[in-house]
Amino acid sequence: KAGVTQTPRYLIKTRGQQVTLSCSPISGHRSVSWYQQTPGQGLQFLFEYFSETQRNKGNFPGRFSGRQFSNSRSEMNVSTLELGDSALYLCASRQTGAPETQYFGPGTRLLVL
Amino acid sequence: KNEVEQSPQNLTAQEGEFITINCSYSVGISALHWLQQHPGGGIVSLFMLSSGKKKHGRLIATINIQEKHSSLHITASHPRDSAVYICAVDGGSNYKLTFGKGTLLTVNP
């Protein structure tokens, strides 16, 4: 089976712009979670989707949003980018979302100038 | 206080040494994950535990639910074990992982 894929892998944006990141989970996995990783804060939970429904959202401003499609692919969007949004954005998939192993994608590295 | 505390933050060892990384948490959990992250970003799941002990090759993970503590052990460490090891607790019904800050392990030949 192919692993979790994320596109794009690298992205440079300027303040005020918006960005959309994509995540394709492992085939058959219906739960997709998104995480932000920065040197200062480490890994932080953004949101989790299952069967197109957001089941939980982390403590991030409303500029961060996401969605999941019927084929389980997920996108996250950040509007009005700030310098502090520069980070590695990781998605992870698992079959149901119950406590089980998560499989991580390679991440999208976003730099905001 | 963070919900998930790891120690040590940094660890340097000589090849062949026995390594222990500790994780303490303060919230109720359904499971605990140990993750490995190599330079460049890729994260690999090593273990998921809800009780007892698991072993995979030279890696052993244990968890004590009553004490809210888990340990990751590496026997006969090797330079290729050099990575960041991250503990994460799974809240279960909230579908959320909460992470420790990670332990940077460097194994010298």
Side-chain angles (χ1 to χ4, degrees):
Chain A
K1 272 187 185 178
V4 178
T5 58
Q6 291 187 246
T7 56
R9 292 293 310 279
Y10 303 93
L11 206 47
I12 300 175
K13 292 284 188 179
T14 55
R15 276 182 301 174
Q17 287 187 309
Q18 76 164 15
V19 67
T20 299
L21 312 181
S22 181
C23 172
S24 292
I26 290 172
S27 177
H29 287 193
R30 295 166 65 191
S31 167
V32 174
S33 298
W34 287 91
Y35 303 98
Q36 182 197 64
Q37 186 177 36
T38 59
Q41 298 297 320
L43 275 159
Q44 294 183 282
F45 170 79
L46 278 159
F47 21 67
E48 190 265 359
Y49 287 90
F50 180 81
S51 292
E52 301 178 67
T53 299
Q54 184 185 89
R55 296 194 293 192
N56 199 358
K57 187 177 196 292
N59 190 23
F60 280 82
R63 300 184 296 106
F64 290 80
S65 63
R67 59 179 176 167
Q68 186 180 35
F69 301 95
S70 58
N71 62 358
S72 294
R73 189 178 70 86
S74 178
E75 289 181 347
M76 66 163 281
N77 184 275
V78 189
S79 62
T80 320
L81 284 165
E82 300 177 0
L83 296 179
D85 297 333
S86 295
L88 180 67
Y89 291 89
L90 292 150
C91 77
S93 76
R94 49 186 171 175
Q95 285 187 313
T96 65
E100 58 183 313
T101 297
Q102 291 201 8
Y103 296 87
F104 286 80
T108 294
R109 194 166 292 279
L110 172 65
L111 177 62
V112 182
L113 302 176
Chain B
K1 191 176 188 290
N2 292 331
E3 293 178 335
V4 183
E5 297 277 359
Q6 276 186 247
S7 63
Q9 281 188 294
N10 294 281
L11 183 55
T12 300
Q14 288 300 120
E15 184 173 355
E17 285 185 357
F18 181 84
I19 305 289
T20 295
I21 300 170
N22 295 299
C23 175
S24 296
Y25 54 92
S26 58
V27 295
I29 68 169
S30 295
L32 183 142
H33 301 256
W34 282 102
L35 311 171
Q36 180 192 56
Q37 186 173 32
H38 280 286
I43 292 179
V44 174
S45 179
L46 297 174
F47 295 103
M48 189 190 76
L49 296 161
S50 53
S51 65
K53 175 179 173 177
K54 286 191 176 180
K55 184 175 189 292
H56 181 71
R58 295 179 295 105
L59 273 58
I60 303 166
T62 64
I63 188 168
N64 184 318
I65 297 293
Q66 286 72 32
E67 294 187 4
K68 295 189 175 179
H69 181 269
S70 176
S71 293
L72 176 68
H73 306 286
I74 305 175
T75 62
S77 59
H78 190 277
R80 65 174 174 266
D81 298 326
S82 297
V84 176
Y85 292 84
I86 302 167
C87 166
V89 297
D90 193 322
S93 59
N94 66 7
Y95 311 108
K96 171 185 171 181
L97 289 187
T98 304
F99 299 87
K101 295 292 188 189
T103 295
L104 175 60
L105 171 65
T106 303
V107 182
N108 295 316

